[in-house]
Amino acid sequence: RPSVMTVGLHFSFTEGVGKQNWLALEMDLLQGYPPIRVMGKVVWFQKSTGISKYRFDVGIEFKDVREEDRKAILDFVSRSII
């Protein structure tokens, strides 16, 4: 399960991605909010541990997030913690 923070996210891939790669991301976080579209930079990746269909864990840092999208991410994170 991906984990989302206000500055980035962590999720798993079946294929490796190189550090410094850029990804276009679209996320449906909350009902009532439009999808969030952000660019993300791979800041770390590592081979997954344990038995999983995913082989790599990846850390993405969000770049150039619109203010309304940042608020939606913060709302999602706040609701997930409670």
Side-chain angles (χ1 to χ4, degrees):
R1 174 182 157 120
S3 60
V4 178
M5 296 156 278
T6 57
V7 295
L9 68 105
H10 160 252
F11 59 99
S12 300
F13 270 114
T14 55
E15 298 180 18
V17 294
K19 194 171 180 185
Q20 305 295 323
N21 279 348
W22 288 86
L23 302 171
L25 305 168
E26 181 175 301
M27 301 177 287
D28 291 313
L29 298 180
L30 294 169
Q31 187 174 8
Y33 283 100
I36 295 170
R37 294 178 181 91
V38 298
M39 290 299 295
K41 180 179 171 184
V42 176
V43 291
W44 63 266
F45 69 99
Q46 66 187 22
K47 194 163 180 71
S48 296
T49 59
I51 300 172
S52 172
K53 66 180 180 178
Y54 301 107
R55 297 183 306 191
F56 297 92
D57 292 323
V58 180
I60 306 293
E61 181 180 1
F62 297 145
K63 296 291 184 182
D64 301 324
V65 181
R66 297 179 317 162
E67 186 58 31
E68 58 267 27
D69 290 341
R70 186 174 308 282
K71 288 178 182 177
I73 293 168
L74 182 58
D75 192 19
F76 173 79
V77 170
S78 297
R79 290 179 190 208
S80 298
I81 293 173
I82 297 174

